[in-house]
Structure formats: C-alpha cells, structure tokens
Amino acid sequence: MTDDRTQKEGAAFAHRSVLLDAAVDYLVSDPEGSYVDGTFGRGGHSRLILERLSEHGQLLGIDKDPEAIRAAEQLAAGDARFAWFHGSFADLDQALQSRSWETVSGVLMDLGVSSPQLDDASRGFSFLRDGPLDMRMDPTQSPSAAQWLAEADEADIADVLWRYGEERFSRRIARMVVARRDEEPLETTRALAELVSEAVPKKEKHKHPATRTFQAIRIFINRELEDLERGLKIAAERLLPGGRLVVISFHSLEDRVVKRFMRDLAKGPRMPKGVPVTAEQEASEFRLVGKAMKASAGEINDNVRARSAVMRVLERVKNDKSPQGVA
C-alpha cells in the first residue's frame, strides 16, 4: 500500500498514495459504476475515485487496519456514495454481499504496508524505529511477530525467512533467534534488527541487513500472499464487462503473483493437447491493459518508497455474454 510522506512523530500521518492519478485513470471507466478500493489505507485513492464518480456512482473501501477503518468512517459520514468494510480483500465476497453487489465496475488493490503503518513505531513494522515487535495489520488478530518468534520451530522460522524474504542467511538467523529467546524474549523491533545484523555475515550495499527478515515475517504474519491470490481471483470473477482490476505492488514476490495471474487469464483457458479448439474457445474473457507501469522520477523524488512500485491492469473484455466465473 504505500502511502507516503509522514509528519513529525506525534502529529497526524499525511500521505499521497503512490501512482495515485494513473491508478484512478485506469480504474474509473464508468462514472456511475460501483467500485472497490481493496486497500483503503488513509483514503488517498478513494477520495480521487469519488471525485471521478457521478452522484449515482458508488465506492466500497476495504481494509484490515482499524486505524484505516476510522479514517473510512469519517469519509463515509461525509459522502453517502462511500461505504466501508473491515477485513481483507480476500474477504471480497463478504464485502460485496454487505452492499448487495453482484458485480463491480472496477477493483483497486494497493498492496503491502502503508507509510502511516511503517512510520508509527507502536505498530512494529519498521526496524528504523524501536517499538513493540507486532507487525499485524489488524492488531485484533493473532499471533503478533513477537508471539510467533517465541514459539515457532527453528526450521519454520528459517523457511519463512527464505520463502517470503529470500534471505540467504535464513538458517543462521533462525538459529540465533531460538538461542536468544531462551535467554530473553525478542519483544522489540530493535532487538530483532540487532540480532539479524549480528547473524548476517555479508551486508548488502545500501540495504539494512534486517530488511528481508522484517519483510518475510510481516508477509507471513498477515498472510499477504495467500490473501492476494484469493483476492485477485474473486475480483476478476466479479468484474463487469469493461471493468478493470488495477493492482499496485511493491516487491517482487507480490508482483510475480499479480503478473502470473493476469497473464494466465489474458491467455484464456488452456486446452489439453490433441483436443480440437475453436476460435470461440481460444478467446479469453480478459485482456492486459498496457504494460507494467512504474512511478515517475518526480514521484520517486517526492517519496522514495515509490521507487519499487509496479502497477498492472487487467480488463474483462466487453461482449454479449454475462460475466462468468474464473476457473
């Protein structure tokens, strides 16, 4: 997700969503349509979407984070076209059911952790600020990062660091975590960051040694990739003809999932070898819109976190058929 610039600690978190204008330009094709902002954050994309909608348009904002939902409640109080749902975009079916929507004109997903979350030390997402080792996007869910590290097997910790962080020293880090927790629980971001710095023998230039570890644990604790795969599938199923799925990702693991999902849908159903295929069967219900888009140099200059952003767009093709499910 990727909301950006933060004010001084103790003040309200201000931000401008990455690829804001481009994402909304691609998303909104029908001013009177029904849209979903799958990662509301602090409402940057949602506010611009509402500006593009007519009085008959509708928007549903979804977010796991209770802080984001508080911001969504304020927006809903001032604009009857907007409603909110507390949950993940993996819960999109339930979210749409809450509005009695069968289909939508577009879905936006702005993935990952937001700047307000990163910059709030009490959330425990960043090794740059000392705070409780939490990392939950929804603090009402369990376990926290500290709880998981206190109980997980060494092999499971190593597997998570390798699978979700591509950390090549995952076994060394896991071994040190287990040894250290026997002496004293790992309860703060600083404690974990210092442990990882000790465990990693070779440092990457311009990259904190704890970067991959924090990313991996956060993705695992929040089930980010599992939620992404489920959310993408439901979103594609619910698109109206001409409707678009717009996804902004911020690291290679996310982007691989999105790229593969959109590419496979755009190619259409795969038929077994030797089975006759008609032209109608070959046609896909979906198409890719443009190429992967990245933030401009100016946007990156304003917000360094935008440098890793990649946006991809999938559209359900307009035809005479009613929307069908995605296999």
Side-chain angles (χ1 to χ4, degrees):
M1 193 177 308
T2 41
D3 302 1
D4 343 358
R5 297 180 253 168
T6 306
Q7 296 177 351
K8 293 181 180 178
E9 204 164 320
F13 296 110
H15 61 274
R16 177 178 170 80
S17 301
V18 171
L19 289 165
L20 174 62
D21 295 296
V24 177
D25 285 345
Y26 275 100
L27 179 72
V28 179
S29 57
D30 178 7
E32 298 191 353
S34 299
Y35 294 87
V36 175
D37 183 350
T39 40
F40 178 81
R42 295 303 182 270
H45 285 114
S46 283
R47 289 184 179 86
L48 186 57
I49 292 169
L50 288 168
E51 288 182 17
R52 304 286 180 86
L53 298 183
S54 73
E55 61 180 336
H56 302 295
Q58 298 180 82
L59 175 63
L60 175 64
I62 302 174
D63 210 289
K64 296 179 180 180
D65 191 335
E67 292 294 326
I69 292 302
R70 276 189 271 277
E73 288 174 335
Q74 294 178 0
L75 182 57
D79 195 324
R81 299 172 300 167
F82 178 77
W84 56 268
F85 180 87
H86 183 198
S88 165
F89 44 64
D91 305 318
L92 185 57
D93 275 336
Q94 297 96 302
L96 296 182
Q97 185 177 5
S98 73
R99 304 298 298 163
S100 298
W101 294 359
E102 290 294 328
T103 54
V104 293
S105 303
V107 178
L108 172 65
M109 296 181 183
D110 185 10
L111 307 178
V113 64
S114 70
S115 289
Q117 290 169 329
L118 282 171
D119 294 326
D120 184 352
S122 69
R123 303 299 301 273
F125 286 106
S126 175
F127 48 78
L128 298 177
R129 294 168 177 80
D130 192 27
L133 190 57
D134 194 314
M135 297 196 195
R136 291 172 294 178
M137 292 180 180
D138 184 350
T140 66
Q141 301 297 312
S142 292
S144 68
Q147 291 169 332
W148 179 70
L149 287 172
E151 300 171 359
D153 292 337
E154 180 180 324
D156 291 338
I157 296 172
D159 181 61
V160 165
L161 300 188
W162 172 252
R163 182 182 301 179
Y164 299 120
E166 300 178 316
E167 173 55 72
R168 57 187 176 135
F169 300 109
S170 59
R171 293 180 181 177
R172 289 174 60 100
I173 296 169
R175 189 160 54 247
M176 283 191 66
V177 165
V178 172
R180 186 71 54 85
R181 76 187 184 189
D182 289 340
E183 303 170 6
E184 183 178 1
L186 284 166
E187 296 181 339
T188 67
T189 53
R190 178 175 294 170
L192 178 60
E194 290 177 351
L195 180 150
V196 175
S197 294
E198 293 176 31
V200 175
K202 296 181 181 180
K203 309 296 192 285
E204 295 180 63
K205 193 174 182 180
H206 306 307
K207 195 168 195 175
H208 193 287
T211 299
R212 295 179 185 276
T213 293
F214 271 68
Q215 171 189 296
I217 295 173
R218 188 204 83 220
I219 290 173
F220 172 76
I221 289 294
N222 294 289
R223 295 180 51 84
E224 292 180 39
L225 295 187
E226 293 90 341
D227 279 9
L228 175 59
E229 290 177 349
R230 177 169 172 77
L232 290 171
K233 180 177 182 294
I234 299 170
E237 289 174 342
R238 295 297 195 121
L239 283 180
L240 286 165
R244 289 178 174 179
L245 170 61
V246 179
V247 185
I248 305 170
S249 57
F250 288 83
H251 62 71
S252 58
L253 291 178
E254 293 173 338
D255 187 50
R256 278 180 223 155
V257 171
V258 176
K259 180 180 180 180
R260 182 177 65 247
F261 176 83
M262 291 187 174
R263 179 198 62 203
D264 289 350
L265 277 189
K267 283 183 177 179
R270 297 180 180 179
M271 303 299 292
K273 289 183 179 180
V275 175
V277 179
T278 67
E280 182 179 354
Q281 288 172 320
E282 288 180 345
S284 171
E285 290 185 61
F286 298 89
R287 72 180 185 96
L288 299 176
V289 179
K291 296 181 179 180
M293 179 181 294
K294 297 190 176 184
S296 66
E299 187 169 4
I300 294 171
N301 186 58
D302 289 340
N303 172 23
V304 68
R305 290 173 183 162
R307 69 185 183 277
S308 58
V310 178
M311 184 174 78
R312 298 182 186 274
V313 183
L314 180 76
E315 179 181 282
R316 182 183 283 276
V317 178
K318 290 184 177 180
N319 53 37
D320 295 331
K321 298 177 181 180
S322 59
Q324 298 176 2
V326 179

